[in-house]
Amino acid sequence: MKRRDFLGAAAGAIALPALATSARAADAIEWRMATAWPKGAPGVGVNAQRLADRIGAMSGGRLTVKLYGAGEIVPPFEVFDAVSQGACEMGHGTPYYWQGKNPVFHYFTGVPFGLMAPEMAGWLQFGGGQALWEEAYRPFGVLPFYAGSSGVQAGGWFNREINALDDIKGLRIRIAGLGGEVMRRLGASVVLTPPGEIFTSMKNGTIDAAEWVGPWNDIAFGLDKVARYYYLPAFHEAGPALELIVSKEKFEALPEDLQQIVRGAALATAAETLADFTFHNIEAFAGLTADGGADLRRWPDPVAAEMTKVAGDVMAELAEASDLAARVAASHDAYLAKARDWSRWSDAEMLRLRNGV
């Protein structure tokens, strides 16, 4: 081969990948993800970013996701609307933040005295929960994907002791979900302060108590600096679910392989998120108890008993709200009953043996 022919062939060989790269760039899709969390917030914000990055990496850059923290596109409790109305293609939050659209959404975050994180994943993925979740979101043009859990949460930070039911009356508390409705019926004044405002609200006395997540997030948000009494666990959040929500129209317009990448990225992030929370809650709790900075408390038995009773009333009313609510409640509650039976002989018994009781 003559020198000029060799150089021409080599140039052609080099140009082909460049052309392919240009073609990929021309076909690349960029989506926006609004989140209900401050950007980089431990557990929630960080794993939302990991999910966005994972979609880009798994797709080889064909589908990239730009993440926006709470307030950058919309306020934290308007993420669902942003996806539903097309202001962005994706969102990261938790279903009960949008319960004003339909109270049945509570089931897909978690309900008082409900499913633990592995049990919730089991119900959604194999027990029919996912199909019901998609049905609940269908009128809004939104498709949900399970994106992990914090595991068992903490009951919250209080600036006064809860020794009896009378101590709840008049209490101004930040608490989310149906736990808030239970506390309201017990006499508390309930507010749903956005995550980024909890510390300030506690510090300036706007609220007397705040339930956020657990040791890792609570310490990161400084709640241990503004209250003394730490009640555990969160009776209403045994294994609350996080979600990735996607515009159904935009999702269905993707090629099949990119659809599977979104699904796979959500599943991978779900596992990573629970591991992240588990590790860091253990570490944070060890530090919290080592320095004696918190007064750890359990719910008194009479208070817990009344919480259980009131929660039962709340759930019964929710199940009667609509045909969909009745079907979701029937599926969830049947599975929960089986989960309780199994957990008594698995998790609960293993913890008893491990703790030497």
Side-chain angles (χ1 to χ4, degrees):
M1 180 180 288
K2 294 180 180 179
R3 182 174 182 272
R4 63 174 179 269
D5 294 335
F6 173 79
L7 292 174
I14 293 168
L16 287 174
L19 287 171
T21 301
S22 297
R24 283 198 300 271
D27 293 339
I29 301 167
E30 181 173 295
W31 279 4
R32 296 155 296 176
M33 178 194 287
T35 72
W37 332 109
K39 190 177 286 185
V44 284
V46 168
N47 281 290
Q49 185 66 65
R50 286 173 177 159
L51 176 51
D53 293 344
R54 180 171 280 121
I55 290 171
M58 290 173 67
S59 69
R62 291 170 56 215
L63 174 60
T64 59
V65 179
K66 182 173 176 59
L67 182 142
Y68 295 87
E72 290 188 319
I73 291 182
V74 292
F77 299 138
E78 295 179 18
V79 170
F80 187 89
D81 282 339
V83 177
S84 177
Q85 297 168 11
C88 55
E89 294 80 12
M90 309 180 89
H92 192 279
T94 187
Y96 67 24
Y97 277 2
W98 347 116
Q99 59 84 29
K101 303 293 182 186
N102 188 332
V104 79
F105 289 6
H106 281 291
Y107 280 101
F108 305 107
T109 291
V111 299
F113 307 101
L115 299 170
M116 309 285 278
E119 296 166 345
M120 173 64 86
W123 178 56
L124 291 174
Q125 294 178 43
F126 300 103
Q130 180 67 35
L132 291 165
W133 194 7
E134 291 178 14
E135 182 180 350
Y137 279 17
R138 191 172 298 130
F140 306 96
V142 174
L143 191 60
F145 299 92
Y146 179 66
S149 175
S150 62
V152 178
Q153 292 199 358
W157 295 86
F158 291 68
N159 60 19
R160 69 186 195 217
E161 294 181 83
I162 304 298
N163 293 315
L165 288 168
D166 284 346
D167 296 320
I168 295 177
K169 291 179 170 57
L171 183 79
R172 296 167 300 173
I173 181 171
R174 188 273 180 199
I175 182 171
L178 292 175
E181 178 59 18
V182 171
M183 293 296 279
R184 187 189 68 78
R185 296 190 186 195
L186 292 176
S189 175
V190 175
V191 295
L192 187 54
T193 307
E197 300 174 17
I198 298 174
F199 173 83
T200 302
S201 296
M202 280 290 289
K203 186 176 182 180
N204 65 24
T206 303
I207 54 177
D208 306 307
E211 177 272 333
W212 173 214
V213 182
W216 182 28
N217 295 82
D218 293 356
I219 292 170
F221 276 60
L223 301 188
D224 58 318
K225 307 300 182 186
V226 290
R228 175 181 175 184
Y229 303 105
Y230 199 25
Y231 279 82
L232 298 115
F235 69 93
H236 64 302
E237 291 185 318
L242 296 167
E243 66 178 356
L244 169 69
I245 53 176
V246 184
S247 162
K248 191 170 186 291
E249 179 183 3
K250 295 290 187 180
F251 182 81
E252 291 177 348
L254 292 175
E256 176 64 24
D257 64 326
L258 290 184
Q259 291 184 11
Q260 292 303 319
I261 282 169
V262 172
R263 293 182 187 278
L267 280 172
T269 301
E272 186 174 38
T273 298
L274 180 57
D276 199 14
F277 271 106
T278 300
F279 176 82
H280 285 99
N281 276 327
I282 289 170
E283 293 291 311
F285 188 73
L288 188 67
T289 54
D291 64 18
D295 193 335
L296 304 179
R297 298 297 177 95
R298 295 185 175 91
W299 300 109
D301 288 345
V303 173
E306 191 64 17
M307 286 174 170
T308 303
K309 176 181 177 298
V310 172
D313 295 338
V314 170
M315 297 310 301
E317 292 172 19
L318 175 55
E320 296 173 354
S322 66
D323 172 70
L324 175 61
R327 288 187 288 112
V328 173
S331 173
H332 174 276
D333 293 352
Y335 177 72
L336 175 60
K338 295 175 184 177
R340 283 181 174 142
D341 286 343
W342 168 235
S343 67
R344 289 190 186 101
W345 292 97
S346 57
D347 293 357
E349 189 63 14
M350 187 65 243
L351 288 171
R352 186 186 71 82
L353 292 175
R354 190 175 76 175
N355 295 335
V357 177

